[in-house]
Amino acid sequence: MPPAPADPPDALTAATTSPQTARDHLDRYGVGDDGRLFRTRTGGVISGSAYAKIWKEARTYALAPDQVASPLAARPYDLRHAAVSLWLNAGVHAPEAAERAGHGVDVMLRVYAKCIDGQRDVANQRIMDALVA
């Protein structure tokens, strides 16, 4: 298997452009011995500062200029927060979302309750449906 691309931004771009591109990248370069997709030329761990630099550049390709200037997805960790928020707003029950995120339900509700938005009408309808059932 060929070594991973020398320039980490190329690896990030290839792996985040589309699911098919990500699969192609994985087929071509595989993962490191420890299972990591992103690694240095020698298979080592990419430093936090390198990730930050790559992330900053990747945002300029993925977001509109006004979004780049905003705090939107300012850190890779923000994607995790966005994913959990999406799950909860999509109706995934808190215990399931908590398990997937590696949280306890108490942490899940404390951290993410404010992210659940626009579900009052849905909740009201579910309560009404349950009352008439």
Side-chain angles (χ1 to χ4, degrees):
M1 189 164 305
D7 186 7
D10 290 343
L12 182 63
T13 301
T16 58
T17 304
S18 72
Q20 185 59 50
T21 304
R23 282 190 284 280
D24 292 345
H25 178 84
L26 188 57
D27 289 345
R28 181 170 180 187
Y29 299 108
V31 296
D33 292 339
D34 62 358
R36 291 177 188 264
L37 176 60
F38 303 120
R39 57 201 181 279
T40 65
R41 274 182 238 134
T42 59
V45 175
I46 297 174
S47 71
S49 61
Y51 267 116
K53 180 180 176 186
I54 294 163
W55 188 256
K56 184 176 180 180
E57 181 179 344
R59 287 180 78 244
T60 67
Y61 292 106
L63 303 174
D66 60 323
Q67 293 171 322
V68 172
S70 78
L72 178 67
R75 308 161 299 165
Y77 183 81
D78 295 335
L79 295 180
R80 181 175 190 266
H81 186 76
V84 173
S85 298
L86 174 78
W87 299 339
L88 292 171
N89 276 299
V92 174
H93 295 282
E96 176 65 23
E99 182 179 333
R100 290 173 184 241
H103 288 308
V105 176
D106 60 327
V107 171
M108 173 70 57
L109 294 175
R110 186 173 62 249
V111 172
Y112 293 96
K114 63 184 174 286
C115 299
I116 301 171
D117 185 41
Q119 294 193 14
R120 184 170 301 272
D121 291 341
V122 172
N124 287 343
Q125 187 59 51
R126 287 180 181 168
I127 292 168
M128 291 301 294
D129 291 347
L131 290 172
V132 297

